[in-house]
Structure formats: structure tokens, C-alpha cells
Amino acid sequence: MKSLVSILAILTPFVMGAQKVATDSVTKKVVADFYVGTSFNANQSLNLNQKLRNANLPEMREVTPELTFGLNVLGEKYSGDLEFGTSFLENEKGNNTLKYLGFNGRFRFHYNLINQPKVTLATGLALAYQSNRYDLFSNTNSTDLNNLTSNLNSAHVNLENRMLYAGPSVMLYLLKKSYIKIRLNVGYEFGLTSGKYRSEFASITNNIKENGNNRLVFGISFL
């Protein structure tokens, strides 16, 4: 009995050490990082712009910058991330202003084609959900607090829509051994939903849809 206890006492440190090495080995295979970055959504086929152009009003720019943040997971064979983003744009033309506010959620899943200690190249698919708000108004508006009813028909147009996107995605990880790692991504996302417009304040006639409204996405992030 004493011999058994002695053997166990001798082997315990080695077993515990082996378990720790095995745990560390598994842990090192998957690395999770929070990140911040910026993304650019390029879209040349927004149907709303045609309506704005016909009315000689300010339009949405073809490239919209976006502030992004999220959680990135990098494994031996697979990688991916869960990303959130927000974008704001203001454009003036004549006496009118267009203000745009967008919120975006995106999930990417990739297979690592090249996975080296300092560099990883991965490709896969992205799924994104975009919420868009457009406010169009005249800069010459005035409000009379003694006659508020006359302002209820002021020159302010509010439009909103939602879009679901999916498409191929490519990710490049650089400086993986550095304190701050860099991640570049590019993708092409296809508009899957109709993107029909609605308004908080009014009903819409002669409505349009944004189906087929595809976009090119490019981003840089710091992990």
C-alpha cells in the first residue's frame, strides 16, 4: 500500500504537467480577439438615388464608410468573426440636405487556405443584415411655435429599409506575432431581400425596392 502511495505521489506532478501541456496546446490552436476597424461599402446601383436625381436632390454617395467592431476567432483550419458597424453620411445640394444613418451586423465563416505563424489567408462566406435610415429636408425650414400646425407639413421626408446580404469573403491576417495585429477583408455581398421603403411619419406611394442591390465591401481592422 505504501509503495502504491509512493508511486502515485511520484507520478502526480508528471500527470498534472502533462494535462497542463495538453490544455495549453489546445488553447493555442484557437485565438479569440476583440477588434475595431473601418469598412467601406461600395454600391453603384441604389435605386433610391435615381429618384433623388430626378428631383434634383442630394444623393447617397457610392462609397459609404463604416466604423466596425467585433469578435474575431482564428483557429488552425477555420476562422470567422461576428461584426457590428455603424455609418453616418451627410450630403447637401442646393437648399436641401440628405442625412443617412446605417447599422450593420455581419457574420463571416472562413476556411484557412494558408495559416503561417505570421500570416493567414482565409476564404469563405459572409452573411449581413443592414438597417438604413434616410432623412431628407430643406435647409430653409422654419418653425413657428405659435403656429405649430402649419409645420406639420414641413419639407421633411423620412425613409427606412432593411436588407439581408450574403456573399463570398476573403480575409488576410498580418503581423500575427505583433502586439497589434492587422486584418484585411474584402467581399462581395448580394442583396437577398426586397429592401422596400417605409416611413415613420407617412405612407409611401410609388414605392421602390432595392432587390439586386449588391455591394463591394473592403475593411481593415486592428486586433
Side-chain angles (χ1 to χ4, degrees):
M1 184 67 180
K2 290 183 179 179
S3 299
L4 180 60
V5 172
S6 300
I7 294 173
L8 290 176
I10 294 172
L11 292 179
T12 297
F14 293 98
V15 173
M16 295 298 293
Q19 287 180 340
K20 184 178 186 303
V21 170
T23 302
D24 290 345
S25 177
V26 173
T27 302
K28 289 180 180 179
K29 290 183 180 179
V30 179
V31 179
D33 293 293
F34 290 102
Y35 67 87
V36 296
T38 184
S39 180
F40 300 90
N41 302 318
N43 189 333
Q44 297 180 335
S45 59
L46 191 66
N47 292 328
L48 179 62
N49 270 349
Q50 185 61 50
K51 295 289 186 179
L52 296 172
R53 191 177 303 117
N54 292 342
N56 197 31
L57 293 171
E59 305 173 28
M60 280 290 297
R61 298 193 181 106
E62 293 183 351
V63 179
T64 305
E66 183 179 51
L67 177 65
T68 59
F69 63 94
L71 175 66
N72 185 88
V73 177
L74 178 59
E76 290 291 326
K77 292 185 178 181
Y78 302 99
S79 57
D81 71 317
L82 179 61
E83 180 176 280
F84 299 95
T86 181
S87 52
F88 176 80
L89 184 66
E90 184 173 319
N91 194 17
E92 293 187 7
K93 184 177 182 179
N95 292 324
N96 301 296
T97 298
L98 173 67
K99 286 188 177 182
Y100 165 76
L101 182 63
F103 293 99
N104 183 57
R106 180 179 286 111
F107 172 75
R108 302 184 184 94
F109 182 78
H110 295 114
Y111 175 76
N112 300 335
L113 298 176
I114 300 174
N115 192 11
Q116 301 295 331
K118 295 183 179 181
V119 177
T120 294
L121 176 65
T123 182
L125 294 174
L127 182 67
Y129 182 77
Q130 179 87 27
S131 171
N132 303 297
R133 178 187 174 101
Y134 308 86
D135 285 289
L136 184 68
F137 55 89
S138 172
N139 300 330
T140 60
N141 281 349
S142 62
T143 300
D144 184 357
L145 295 181
N146 291 325
N147 189 16
L148 288 174
T149 55
S150 64
N151 290 283
L152 294 180
N153 193 29
S154 61
H156 174 204
V157 176
N158 163 260
L159 296 172
E160 297 181 351
N161 76 339
R162 309 285 187 271
M163 290 292 297
L164 180 66
Y165 294 93
S169 173
V170 177
M171 200 84 76
L172 178 63
Y173 297 85
L174 302 171
L175 306 176
K176 290 170 56 180
K177 294 292 185 179
S178 302
Y179 180 73
I180 297 179
K181 293 166 280 189
I182 297 177
R183 192 194 72 182
L184 304 175
N185 68 273
V186 62
Y188 190 81
E189 298 177 344
F190 298 89
L192 303 181
T193 51
S194 66
K196 191 174 181 179
Y197 287 92
R198 62 183 184 181
S199 176
E200 287 188 18
F201 314 118
S203 59
I204 299 177
T205 58
N206 300 316
N207 208 333
I208 56 175
K209 300 178 181 180
E210 295 292 354
N211 52 315
N213 177 12
N214 308 328
R215 62 183 182 180
L216 177 69
V217 179
F218 172 79
I220 179 170
S221 304
F222 301 94
L223 292 75

